[in-house]
Amino acid sequence: MKKVFLCTFLLCAFLVTHLKAQQRPNVLILYTDDLGYGDLSCYGATAISTPHIDWLAQNGLRFTDAHCTASTCTPSRFSILSGRYAWRKKGTGILPGNANLTIPTDITTLPKVFKRAGYITGAIGKWHLGLGNTSPIDWNKEVSPGPREIGFDYSFIFPATADRTPTVFMENQTVVGLDTSDPIYVSYEHPFAGELLGKEHPEMLKMKNDPMQGHNYHIVNGIGRIGYMKGGKRAEWTDEELGLTFNTKAIEFIDRSREEKKPFFLYYAIHDIHVPRMPATMFKGKSKLGYRGDAILEMDHTVGIILEALKQRGMLDNTLIVFSSDNGPVLNDGYLDQSPETALAEHYKPAGIYRGGKYSVLEGGTRVPMMVYWANKIKPHTISNALFTQIDLMASFAKMLDEKLPENEFTDSRDYFSTLTGRQNTNRNYIIEQSGNNTLAIVKDGWKYITPGNGPTLLKAVNIESGYSKEDQLYNLKTDPQETDNLALKFPKKLLELKTLLNETRKEL
Ligand code: NG6
Ligand code: CA
């Protein structure tokens, strides 16, 4: 009798755990690069059409007030993966390609939360969070710590940005296709003997760099880059095949999760639409907006490919998809690819109604497109005006997975899973935004306070308004979304409230 009871108990326990694992959705984060609030047709763009991305909005939830934590890449990615504001840690600004890993390996991270819950975890695409812990990095063997040490079972990445050396793919932290007789060396200080540089060989370039901005050092695929590199000739990528390569690896990873019968968490950091914009041949000249528009079409195609792959495998209904961007838009970010001219001709506004863009502290810097798709859980065509920040993904998914974040460990991440999935419209209490020069802003109840500083009001090289001022700035975003009427003197109490809250938050940790 006892035996029968025990067996029944064990069977029930097994079924409950199994069922729980089955109910857990796969989670896919599609994280694009430099995509602005006004760059998608589902956010009002008319000069471009993004049907696959729009599908996510039509069949899920679209945010109007979602933010990345910074208006540049590394700090936003640092925050989304670690659940900590990047300004709390030194050395988390835009990284060179030979920087060491910035995310501590001993803290809870977004992928670790999934791993603990029994998921298989993967990082594909752009990394830009540093690798290894030696200087210089030895690129000719496995480089660690890296994605694995912060919680990713699998990674297929490029180390920094497409405009920085080393211009190679890395699978599980090892350069792909490396010929050992042609070892790789990378430097950001000195060129290597015999290395041809863009600034000395403009005749070798198929796309001109902006002389104001550099990008005229190492040459790969007829494009000048930031940084120097020697060797690894066979391993170097062709920009036109970045999309195809990453998509293929993403699908392989999805298949691996099926084989292992585990739900997956995939952080797919799509390389589009960052410079150099050099999309696959089939997208060249396809938009009215030059290579930047063509790169948007390539990014939309990528989303379509991944959605189709999930559908074909019967996995779409059980995959929760988050689509967003790491910072606001920029037209000329170092290469003369006609983006500013075509945007002007088409009256194209990459940040939508907002001012500023990449690097700036104005809304255009961090207010980004964000959609969440989850079949049968989120109603089609849901629009949320709630204030949301990507830093909360870690605590929100921990909640979904019933995983407790360690109580004795500091985190900036809070659970807003109900807001993320449209069940509630609850605003986050406040959010903090960080600009390219580390100016901070805080937004609460529709009010925004920007700290004073010395930066230029116009970032000349990229032609973007920064939002910097020597004075305290206070805006009412509800009535003045373009941040034109500084109310700091008119509302001293509000100013003090936001200033104090920001200072208190800064002191935490
Ligand atoms: C800037 C680069 C820009 C881009 C950016 C990083 C110059 C003048 N400009 O420093 O081209 O690479 O860094 O972009 O070097 S991000 O999206 O990864 O933050
Ligand atoms: Ca970026």
Side-chain angles (χ1 to χ4, degrees):
M1 185 63 193
K2 254 188 186 170
K3 243 187 183 173
V4 174
F5 178 75
L6 188 71
C7 285
T8 323
F9 174 78
L10 286 178
L11 185 72
C12 285
F14 171 79
L15 282 176
V16 168
T17 342
H18 192 66
L19 212 68
K20 214 171 154 190
Q22 271 195 339
Q23 283 168 345
R24 289 180 169 186
N26 305 304
V27 173
L28 169 63
I29 296 187
L30 297 167
Y31 206 47
T32 56
D33 203 352
D34 298 1
L35 187 74
Y37 192 82
D39 272 324
L40 301 172
S41 34
C42 60
Y43 276 84
T46 50
I48 195 115
S49 169
T50 49
H52 298 110
I53 300 173
D54 292 3
W55 186 92
L56 295 170
Q58 283 150 10
N59 293 279
L61 165 74
R62 181 171 73 83
F63 280 100
T64 62
D65 202 0
H67 293 255
C68 46
T69 56
S71 57
T72 59
C73 167
T74 304
S76 280
R77 287 161 202 254
F78 179 92
S79 303
I80 201 173
L81 292 182
S82 73
R84 293 184 184 196
Y85 286 115
W87 43 261
R88 295 196 189 279
K89 190 172 185 273
K90 278 211 174 101
T92 53
I94 299 173
L95 293 178
N98 60 351
N100 288 139
L101 181 67
T102 46
I103 298 183
T105 53
D106 59 351
I107 64 168
T108 301
T109 61
L110 180 62
K112 281 183 194 171
V113 167
F114 282 98
K115 220 167 132 72
R116 281 175 203 158
Y119 279 58
I120 165 174
T121 55
I124 288 179
K126 166 172 170 170
W127 185 241
H128 212 188
L129 290 162
L131 289 167
N133 53 14
T134 61
S135 186
I137 292 169
D138 184 353
W139 297 97
N140 303 294
K141 54 182 200 191
E142 191 186 290
V143 184
S144 61
R148 185 191 310 111
E149 286 72 19
I150 67 150
F152 289 109
D153 295 312
Y154 174 77
S155 62
F156 191 100
I157 56 171
F158 61 57
T161 57
D163 58 357
R164 281 174 175 75
T165 60
T167 34
V168 294
F169 296 111
M170 299 187 87
E171 186 163 33
N172 293 327
Q173 299 164 219
T174 307
V175 172
V176 176
L178 181 65
D179 170 3
T180 48
S181 66
D182 184 27
I184 295 180
Y185 301 95
V186 173
S187 168
Y188 276 70
E189 276 97 48
H190 61 84
F192 295 95
E195 186 186 7
L196 302 182
L197 302 179
K199 58 181 179 179
E200 283 147 17
H201 292 275
E203 78 286 354
M204 286 179 66
L205 302 178
K206 66 179 175 189
M207 181 162 61
K208 283 195 184 133
N209 57 280
D210 177 357
M212 293 252 294
Q213 299 195 48
H215 301 76
N216 55 359
Y217 304 99
H218 186 64
I219 303 173
V220 190
N221 189 31
I223 301 171
R225 318 279 163 157
I226 309 171
Y228 305 100
M229 180 171 161
K230 181 188 159 189
K233 280 285 160 249
R234 282 193 211 162
E236 286 194 281
W237 70 55
T238 306
D239 299 75
E240 286 85 339
E241 63 157 37
L242 287 171
L244 175 68
T245 309
F246 288 138
N247 288 345
T248 308
K249 292 296 165 180
I251 295 169
E252 276 175 26
F253 174 77
I254 290 168
D255 280 336
R256 179 173 153 192
S257 95
R258 280 210 304 174
E259 280 153 26
E260 294 188 16
K261 297 195 171 42
K262 280 184 181 176
F264 71 77
F265 167 65
L266 175 58
Y267 167 74
Y268 183 1
I270 299 173
H271 76 290
D272 284 316
I273 58 171
H274 194 279
V275 296
R277 303 169 189 124
M278 188 51 64
T281 308
M282 64 190 269
F283 299 105
K284 286 180 181 169
K286 209 176 168 194
S287 77
K288 293 184 246 171
L289 297 164
Y291 274 11
R292 186 173 184 277
D294 299 346
I296 294 178
L297 297 183
E298 181 176 72
M299 170 192 64
D300 185 59
H301 173 80
T302 283
V303 174
I305 291 280
I306 302 298
L307 289 177
E308 187 55 33
L310 288 168
K311 207 167 161 188
Q312 277 173 8
R313 288 158 179 75
M315 294 167 85
L316 187 57
D317 283 357
N318 194 32
T319 302
L320 190 164
I321 304 173
V322 178
F323 176 98
S324 199
S325 174
D326 69 336
N327 53 251
V330 56
L331 293 169
N332 173 0
D333 207 16
Y335 297 91
L336 302 177
D337 64 4
Q338 269 74 56
S339 300
E341 295 83 348
T342 45
L344 195 67
E346 292 291 328
H347 308 288
Y348 186 75
K349 300 262 177 268
I353 64 156
Y354 298 103
R355 274 173 59 212
K358 185 172 180 175
Y359 309 109
S360 80
V361 74
L362 295 165
E363 284 298 280
T366 62
R367 197 187 282 237
V368 284
M370 181 156 160
M371 281 85 80
V372 187
Y373 168 83
W374 196 11
N376 309 316
K377 304 272 187 186
I378 300 177
K379 280 197 204 106
H381 297 286
T382 306
I383 291 178
S384 171
N385 298 323
L387 182 66
F388 189 87
T389 163
Q390 294 169 1
I391 209 160
D392 288 337
L393 289 182
M394 185 172 90
S396 301
F397 281 120
K399 170 76 177 181
M400 176 187 91
L401 298 166
D402 256 342
E403 286 291 316
K404 282 223 159 59
L405 295 178
E407 267 167 32
N408 53 357
E409 198 185 314
F410 176 83
T411 181
D412 287 301
S413 191
R414 305 280 177 268
D415 163 33
Y416 280 91
F417 188 67
S418 298
T419 305
L420 179 70
T421 48
R423 272 182 270 168
Q424 277 180 11
N425 238 352
T426 318
N427 281 319
R428 194 190 211 272
N429 182 20
Y430 63 89
I431 67 159
I432 295 177
E433 303 169 6
Q434 174 188 358
S435 79
N437 80 347
N438 297 328
T439 297
L440 296 186
I442 181 166
V443 178
K444 185 178 190 297
D445 304 329
W447 290 87
K448 175 167 174 179
Y449 164 64
I450 305 176
T451 54
N454 279 323
T457 49
L458 179 73
L459 306 170
K460 273 202 195 119
V462 289
N463 193 23
I464 289 176
E465 286 183 283
S466 66
Y468 303 154
S469 164
K470 289 196 175 66
E471 317 287 328
D472 281 324
Q473 294 178 80
L474 181 74
Y475 297 105
N476 182 342
L477 293 176
K478 284 185 189 145
T479 53
D480 179 23
Q482 296 184 326
E483 302 162 87
T484 50
D485 190 11
N486 183 2
L487 301 173
L489 293 176
K490 257 196 207 160
F491 292 87
K493 262 196 190 157
K494 192 45 91 184
L495 181 73
L496 186 66
E497 180 201 331
L498 292 192
K499 224 180 195 178
T500 312
L501 184 57
L502 177 61
N503 284 336
E504 277 166 10
T505 313
R506 267 172 154 165
K507 280 189 227 140
E508 287 168 10
L509 180 70

